[in-house]
Amino acid sequence: MSSPARFDRGHTDDLMTFLTASPSPYHAVANAAERLEKAGFRQLSETDAWDSGTGGKFVLRGGALIAWYVPEGAAAHTPFRIIGAHTDSPNLRVKPLPDTGSQGWRQIAVEIYGGTLLNTWLDRDLGLAGRLTLRDGTEHLVNIDRALLRVPQLAVHLDRSVNTDGLKLDKQRHMQPIWGLGEAHEGDLIAFLEEEEGLAHGSVAGWDLMVHSIEPPAYLGRDRELVAGPRMDNLLSVHAGVAALAAVTGAGKLDHIPVLAAFDHEENGSQSDTGADGPLLGNVLERSVFARGGTYEDRARAFAGTICLSSDTGHAVHPNYGERHDPTHHPRANAGPILKVNVNQRYATDGSGRAVFAAACERAGVPWQTFVSNNSMPCGTTIGPITAARHGIQTVDIGVAILSMHSARELCGADDPYLLANALVAFLEG
């Protein structure tokens, strides 16, 4: 029997707002934290002792957020229900010595982050965002959301073979954006940001900066049934997870603890203190058990009963490249979230996990699909197998089917974000 849907097309409108406001992982977790605080959650410091109180709590570290809701009557061995996602997206990130140039053009030196589609960054108006670390140790979010940078493509007149032999881009030589004319001077970019942000000259000691397309998300198509926008991989899942977690707080009696784990650095392997292969999630879950007076035995019991849905985008069938997909698995836009399967453990889903996901979708009245790769094509991976192996908890890989994955601008069905969110609510409610 299905439960009433919590979210509708208004959820997709809100997703577009969230994408625009979150040009970096640091902005994404700050925006998520603000939404959770409005839902009654409170931030905990990792350096403080944690109490045994009930209610919503969250921890921020860099570009990662772990949030959980302890219901009334939760025992120390109460298991968790986790939504896993990641906050980072492939892009161009500013190098430690950013000021460079050539042939009378001033440029910004960038490094390629993750497996981005390089050509999608060409000839776009780009902004700059991230965090600045000041000399006193405080952090300052920065978002220059205007046409500041551009990676210019070589004119067809100077590369006559581009449309026959294909575009060939060298990551070092061809991807450095321009931002003005004249000679490059060391310190120009950071001095510019200090001035823009009203910070004292010389106050910035470190930075984690990245470029972003300033074109806002938009509905697309004759009937506005599609959404085009940046960073859907994987802020779409982060946004849905925040909405779902907020929706179940204060709901009926829960026999588990709902959790949202939004990690950084998935796009380059998750091996960091804020990535899924780091200790952050395990530490938070263990401390939650121990704060409620639990023992190691309680921790083991809680983890043994825990289930994680690792939510990340997957591939919708491409109308121009149908042969690249498995012949019998063609996920389509607006047909509901996908269950991602790979027997070589690139995804963590197994038969029992399929049953968990199917039951959640049935309770939510949400249609769902299955994704598996063409045997002749390599399969990507997610935080799912990492979470399962590192913490020994049952994990199921799911997501929303999109086109243009890892592009500066991706495409999904306009209904799928809220269908995913409704399925996640049903999963957290159990």
Side-chain angles (χ1 to χ4, degrees):
M1 183 175 179
S2 62
S3 60
R6 303 291 183 95
F7 305 109
D8 55 20
R9 185 62 74 90
H11 175 89
T12 305
D13 294 336
D14 189 61
L15 168 64
M16 296 163 72
T17 299
F18 186 78
L19 292 174
T20 299
S22 305
S24 78
Y26 315 110
H27 289 82
V29 298
N31 290 323
E34 181 179 2
R35 289 163 180 253
L36 290 171
E37 285 178 335
K38 289 179 179 178
F41 284 67
R42 59 188 174 93
Q43 183 175 356
L44 301 184
S45 170
E46 291 186 80
T47 59
D48 290 342
W50 292 0
D51 61 49
S52 60
T54 58
K57 310 172 187 185
F58 68 89
V59 166
L60 291 179
R61 183 192 290 186
L65 174 146
I66 310 293
W68 65 103
Y69 178 79
V70 181
E72 293 287 343
H77 61 268
T78 298
F80 303 92
R81 285 217 163 193
I82 304 170
I83 297 169
H86 68 87
T87 61
D88 59 319
S89 302
N91 57 16
L92 312 179
R93 302 206 171 186
V94 176
K95 288 185 175 180
L97 299 176
D99 300 292
T100 186
S102 179
Q103 311 300 327
W105 296 92
R106 298 171 68 188
Q107 295 173 278
I108 300 301
V110 297
E111 192 172 2
I112 311 302
Y113 179 83
T116 188
L117 284 168
L118 295 177
N119 63 294
T120 67
W121 293 94
L122 302 178
D123 297 332
R124 287 186 183 272
D125 296 336
L126 303 174
L128 190 66
R131 67 176 177 181
L132 305 172
T133 303
L134 307 186
R135 295 192 181 280
D136 62 4
T138 59
E139 295 178 353
H140 181 89
L141 295 185
V142 59
N143 182 12
I144 310 299
D145 197 31
R146 68 172 190 270
L148 182 69
L149 306 164
R150 186 180 178 92
V151 183
Q153 187 171 198
L154 186 64
V156 67
H157 313 76
L158 303 178
D159 186 6
R160 295 288 184 180
S161 65
V162 67
N163 289 326
T164 55
D165 297 341
L167 178 64
K168 297 179 176 61
L169 294 171
D170 182 281
K171 293 180 180 179
Q172 179 62 40
R173 294 185 294 125
H174 299 150
M175 296 306 298
Q176 310 306 313
I178 62 173
W179 75 313
L181 298 171
E183 296 298 318
H185 299 285
E186 184 177 349
D188 275 357
L189 176 64
I190 301 306
F192 163 76
L193 294 176
E194 288 172 338
E195 183 176 356
E196 284 282 310
E197 296 299 301
L199 301 172
H201 179 68
S203 61
V204 174
W207 52 88
D208 301 279
L209 300 168
M210 56 207 71
V211 307
H212 66 275
S213 172
I214 64 170
E215 184 181 3
Y219 286 106
L220 184 145
R222 185 193 68 177
D223 300 320
R224 293 165 56 88
E225 59 194 333
L226 302 170
V227 171
R231 299 177 294 281
M232 290 184 182
D233 180 9
N234 184 35
L235 294 188
L236 188 158
S237 294
V238 173
H239 175 260
V242 170
L245 183 60
V248 302
T249 60
K253 180 174 174 56
L254 297 172
D255 59 3
H256 53 267
I257 296 171
V259 179
L260 171 64
F263 299 104
D264 201 353
H265 301 130
E266 189 272 349
E267 298 294 356
N268 61 9
S270 295
Q271 292 185 322
S272 72
D273 70 318
T274 53
D277 204 17
L280 181 59
L281 176 61
N283 286 349
V284 168
L285 298 184
E286 287 182 348
R287 291 186 68 178
S288 176
V289 170
F290 298 150
R292 296 193 304 279
T295 64
Y296 183 82
E297 182 72 10
D298 293 314
R299 180 260 189 215
R301 293 175 64 189
F303 277 45
T306 292
I307 306 173
C308 173
L309 287 191
S310 164
S311 182
D312 202 348
T313 56
H315 301 294
V317 63
H318 199 297
N320 300 334
Y321 300 90
E323 74 282 358
R324 302 294 183 98
H325 300 267
D326 182 82
T328 57
H329 296 78
H330 282 180
R332 301 181 185 277
N334 287 338
I338 56 174
L339 178 74
K340 302 159 77 170
V341 179
N342 181 268
V343 295
N344 293 303
Q345 292 299 297
R346 301 293 285 172
Y347 303 129
T349 306
D350 61 12
S352 62
R354 174 190 172 100
V356 169
F357 180 63
C361 289
E362 182 179 354
R363 288 194 300 273
V366 167
W368 61 280
Q369 314 174 77
T370 304
F371 171 83
V372 66
S373 288
N374 185 309
N375 289 339
S376 299
M377 304 292 294
C379 180
T381 190
T382 69
I383 65 168
I386 295 171
T387 304
R390 181 169 184 83
H391 305 294
I393 58 179
Q394 181 182 14
T395 304
V396 188
D397 273 297
I398 67 163
V400 162
I402 70 171
L403 291 180
S404 306
M405 186 183 294
H406 287 195
S407 169
R409 194 168 177 85
E410 297 160 326
L411 183 72
C412 77
D415 297 342
D416 285 328
Y418 68 79
L419 293 176
L420 172 67
N422 283 320
L424 295 181
V425 168
F427 167 72
L428 290 182
E429 288 180 335

